[in-house]
Each structure stands twice: as structure tokens, then as C-alpha cells.
Amino acid sequence: MMTEDFLNYLRYERNRSELTVRRYEQSLRDFESYFKNREGQLSWESVDSDVIRDWMESMMDKGDMGFALSRGLVTHDPSYVVKGPKKQKPLPQFVREEEMNRLLDTPQMWQEGFDGLRARTIIILFYETGIRLAELIGLDVADVDFAAHQIKVTGKRNKQRIIPFGEELEKALQEYLSQRNALPLQMEPALILSDKGRRMTRSLVEKIVKQHLSLTTTLKKRTPHVLRHSFATAMLNNGAGLEDVRLLLGHESVATTQIYTHTTFEQLKRVYENAHPRA
């Protein structure tokens, strides 16, 4: 009886659609079948929190107990003591160092000419500096200081930070700039240019990154942000301090950067489990 009353409450007092009502009805019927099959003496009035907790993975909504209370169909709501399971924040996905090495060190993975040179430069920029997609697009040629081996990056809320770079990125940038500057186009000051001499769009950079990460990793996500995660993870795996990585990434708080320690710990656990004879 309670089920029918609740469904009528949804229809006529809450003005819910018939599709919504049918979905609630299915969940309620399933739950009723569940607790009656579990223990024949159970009823809507005798269902307790243990029964509901066991049913948490179904589509049952706690609102029906609230309705039952308001209509006097049950004398108490056992669901208030049942807390939903905490949603664990997913760990950042990253490309392993050996996969990045294979991609960057294999000439056959890169198209010849300006497009291939630009694509490789984009990938190296992301992987060796950890910058965001918007930050890469916003880079101008003047932001690169080859003498000091550093790049000036404008991040969120126009905050600027300086990121050092090494010989590999220097070489890639020099080769790229030599061809970029030879383009017969009216060019913008942007560092990374489209074929038309304009600042690159987000979609084009994302397409380039996805295309080339697909050559080396089976990750479902193959985005510029995955390369940012890969940078942070590689830095921590090779001895960088958490505060140093925070500054390079441009995080406001070290708490934001700490998620990468979980990533590296997961990697450490896998190494331990594979290597220790008693693990």
C-alpha cells in the first residue's frame, strides 16, 4: 500500500513525470522483493537500517521513507543512520616515463616538415614544463629566454611564474622557431602557430596531443592535462620536492599538489608487490 501511495504522491502532489514515477516504482518494487526474499517476515514497517545498507547499491531513494513518515505509514526512518559510501577522488592519469621516452625518441612517430616539428615541440613543452593548455596557447616568442633557459608563463588570474627548461626542449624550440619564422605569412607574436600563422586553438592542440599519445599509451584519456600529470609524477618519482612541484605547476596550495604523492605511492606499491618475495 505504501508504494502506491508514494507513487500517487509523486504524480499528484509533486507533479513528477510519468517516466520518473515509473522509475521510482521499479526501484520500490525491486526493494520490496529484495527484503521479502531476504526474510519473509519483513515489511515496510519493519525494515531497518541494516536492510537498507545492504540495498545501498540499488536505485532506492531515501525520500520514500520521508514520505512514509509524513503519512504515518511507518513510525521511524531507519535510513537516517545510513551514510552513503565516500566517493574516492580518482587518481590523476599519467603516461609512464618509458612510454614518453619511446614517443619522443622514435623519429618514425613524427610527420616530416613543419607540422611534425610543431607537434613534437608541443608534446615536449607540456611534458617538460607541466603547463596548462591555456598557458601553452598564450605563450609568445618573447616569453622564452634561451640565455637563462626559462619560460615566463601566465597562469590563472593572470599570475605569472618562471619555469626552467633543459637542453632537449631548447633544441626542439630552436628547430621549431627556425621553420616558424620562415613561414610566408603575417604572423602573430604567439609561440605556437597554426598553419595560417595564427595563435593555435584549444581544439587543434588537443587533437595533436591525442593523436600522438595514442601511438604510445593505452590510456583512455589522452589530453594535455594528462601530460601535465605526467610531468608532476615524473618529477616526484625522480626526487623533486612537493613544494618545488607546486611552484612549477602554479598551484595555490600544496594540498592540490599532494594528489600526485598518492599516484607515486600507488606506483611504489606495484613495485613492492612485484619485487618482494613475500608480498
Side-chain angles (χ1 to χ4, degrees):
M1 183 63 182
M2 191 200 84
T3 299
E4 291 301 328
D5 288 341
F6 179 61
L7 296 176
N8 286 331
Y9 161 76
L10 292 177
R11 284 190 184 98
Y12 305 121
E13 297 187 33
R14 298 300 300 276
N15 293 318
R16 297 296 177 86
S17 70
E18 194 58 34
L19 178 60
T20 298
V21 172
R22 286 201 299 270
R23 286 174 176 169
Y24 271 96
E25 180 178 15
Q26 184 61 53
S27 294
L28 290 168
R29 301 293 186 201
D30 289 346
F31 179 62
E32 187 174 28
S33 175
Y34 168 78
F35 68 66
K36 285 185 176 179
N37 288 332
R38 170 188 168 117
E39 189 175 335
Q41 299 301 313
L42 284 177
S43 66
W44 283 105
E45 290 78 11
S46 59
V47 165
D48 61 17
S49 58
D50 288 334
V51 177
I52 296 175
R53 183 176 288 109
D54 291 341
W55 182 245
M56 284 289 292
E57 294 182 358
S58 76
M59 293 180 63
M60 180 178 179
D61 193 292
K62 292 181 183 179
D64 53 21
M65 277 296 176
F67 166 79
L69 278 172
S70 69
R71 293 297 189 272
L73 299 174
V74 295
T75 58
H76 68 287
D77 180 1
S79 67
Y80 79 97
V81 297
V82 180
K83 295 183 178 179
K86 290 185 177 179
K87 290 185 178 180
Q88 193 174 30
K89 191 172 183 179
L91 295 175
Q93 294 188 43
F94 62 94
V95 184
R96 291 178 294 148
E97 291 180 52
E98 55 267 32
E99 292 174 331
M100 288 303 304
N101 290 339
R102 182 169 66 248
L103 174 62
L104 295 173
D105 296 339
T106 306
Q108 292 79 5
M109 291 189 178
W110 304 96
Q111 181 181 347
E112 293 185 1
F114 177 74
D115 286 353
L117 191 57
R118 179 184 58 193
R120 188 171 183 275
T121 302
I122 287 173
I123 300 293
I124 296 177
L125 260 170
F126 278 128
Y127 184 54
E128 292 206 12
T129 66
I131 59 178
R132 301 177 178 93
L133 172 56
E135 293 171 345
L136 181 139
I137 292 172
L139 285 175
D140 289 337
V141 175
D143 292 326
V144 182
D145 185 341
F146 285 104
H149 283 82
Q150 62 188 34
I151 297 177
K152 180 175 67 177
V153 176
T154 302
K156 293 181 178 180
R157 293 178 292 279
N158 290 321
K159 289 189 175 181
Q160 293 186 331
R161 66 187 188 280
I162 302 297
I163 302 177
F165 62 85
E167 293 182 0
E168 182 175 25
L169 181 53
E170 177 187 21
K171 182 180 178 182
L173 284 170
Q174 294 281 20
E175 291 177 353
Y176 161 76
L177 284 171
S178 67
Q179 291 199 25
R180 171 200 178 278
N181 295 337
L183 291 174
L185 299 166
Q186 183 68 33
M187 295 184 299
E188 298 185 8
L191 176 64
I192 306 297
L193 292 177
S194 70
D195 294 342
K196 296 181 180 180
R198 302 293 179 86
R199 194 177 295 270
M200 293 278 278
T201 63
R202 293 180 64 92
S203 59
L204 183 53
V205 175
E206 288 171 337
K207 180 180 178 181
I208 290 171
V209 170
K210 182 177 181 179
Q211 175 186 350
H212 288 86
L213 287 188
S214 298
L215 300 175
T216 194
T217 181
T218 58
L219 287 177
K220 290 184 178 179
K221 291 185 68 175
R222 301 161 193 172
T223 64
H225 216 65
V226 165
L227 287 173
R228 179 170 162 87
H229 295 327
S230 304
F231 162 82
T233 303
M235 291 289 291
L236 289 169
N237 281 342
N238 287 283
L242 197 60
E243 175 63 15
D244 297 324
V245 175
R246 180 191 75 81
L247 292 172
L248 291 169
L249 291 174
H251 285 161
E252 292 287 341
S253 168
V254 73
T256 309
T257 316
Q258 281 178 333
I259 190 160
Y260 296 107
T261 64
H262 298 299
T263 301
T264 55
F265 182 67
E266 289 299 317
Q267 185 180 50
L268 184 62
K269 282 201 302 184
R270 288 194 294 270
V271 172
Y272 173 82
E273 289 167 356
N274 291 332
H276 198 284
R278 301 293 292 253

